[in-house]
Amino acid sequence: MIGEHVADTLATEPSAASDDVASSGTATRATRLLGAAALVGVAWLAAFGLGFSPADRDQRESVRILYVHVPSAWLAYLAFVVTAVASGLYLFRRSHALGWDRVAGASAEVGVLFMGITLVSGMLWGRLTWGVFWEWDARLTTTAFLFVTYVGYLAVRGLGGSHQQRARRSAVLALLAVLEIPLVHWSVRLWRSLHQEATVLRPDGDVKMDGLMLFTLFVGIVAFTLMYAWLVVHRQRTLAAEDAADDAGLDRALAARRAEVG
Amino acid sequence: MEDAGFIIGSYVVTFGAVATYAVWLARRARRVTRDLPDHAKPWT
């Protein structure tokens, strides 16, 4: 029951915080603070990524693209893992709380957004570094496949049926789709790849990066994490409102039908 | 310089996409929650 409550009211603050809440929308004081923190993070990222951090010895100025490319890729991975965990919690807990399904759907949608950003920013970086926008390389191909898989997941969520049917079929798909992430991550080692190997999360623990560059990347991770949290909280609440509106519409239709028959 | 266009473009695409999605989300949230009773909005 605790899990159900958490999922249904993700990031819901104490009632005292609701005094200044508008009558419509999904914002609260906490989400406004979260959004403001995300904006500050984005400003810091732009300042360090485009200004203060140095050019790379080999990649020169194109390294600046990596301060948005790498965080968006990591956050897409995180979003899809959250989707799988929430789907598992929906599927395997006795309560089958729809709140977990909405967390999964919200996280997947934001993950697709970040994965799309990863692909586009990677293409721009590839054009400067490799001379081409796209190459059917192992990392690029598996990333594109992961993107298409989660677009498919969102399409499956949009199929008809009850909320529980939607939750059940999409949870199964999410638990299968998340298995692609290790394949994408390790593709640069499993196959010959144009894409560089990990610079920060190296198996030997030796980070091969200048201090200010590493700090800028860290700022990017923090900014993208704050954006992700803000978007998922709002999307989850919007999905809850959409489900409630659906239920209310169904109740009205049933009442009208009963009135006709009666 | 050709590089500057690609670099600034990557930031514009990134933050533009997130901002567009955030605006779409905020407008949709306002539209969907407008007619809902408070008990259907547990965050309030």
Side-chain angles (χ1 to χ4, degrees), chain A residues 81-103:
Chain A
V81 169
V82 168
T83 297
V85 170
S87 298
L89 287 167
Y90 165 78
L91 212 51
F92 300 120
R93 293 190 79 143
R94 199 174 297 171
S95 60
H96 295 301
L98 280 171
W100 290 121
D101 168 65
R102 294 182 200 115
V103 172

Side-chain angles (χ1 to χ4, degrees), chain A residues 9 12 18 23-26 28 49-50 61 64-65 67 109 117 124 127-128 133 224 231 235 237-238 241-242, chain B residues 2-3 6-7 9-11 13-15 17-18 21-22 24-25 28-30 32-33 36 40-44:
Chain A
T9 61
T12 299
S18 63
S23 58
S24 64
T26 51
T28 54
L50 293 173
E61 299 294 339
R64 299 183 189 285
I65 296 177
Y67 301 130
E109 196 169 293
I117 289 169
L124 293 171
R127 176 68 181 77
L128 291 180
F133 284 106
F224 272 73
L231 291 170
R235 188 64 182 122
R237 289 175 179 175
T238 308
E242 286 171 358
Chain B
E2 188 189 31
D3 284 12
F6 282 89
I7 293 163
S10 68
Y11 281 69
V13 166
T14 298
F15 298 127
V18 174
Y21 179 70
W24 170 82
L25 187 54
R28 185 172 182 85
R30 203 160 293 151
V32 172
T33 56
L36 281 183
K41 296 182 276 188
W43 54 88
T44 57

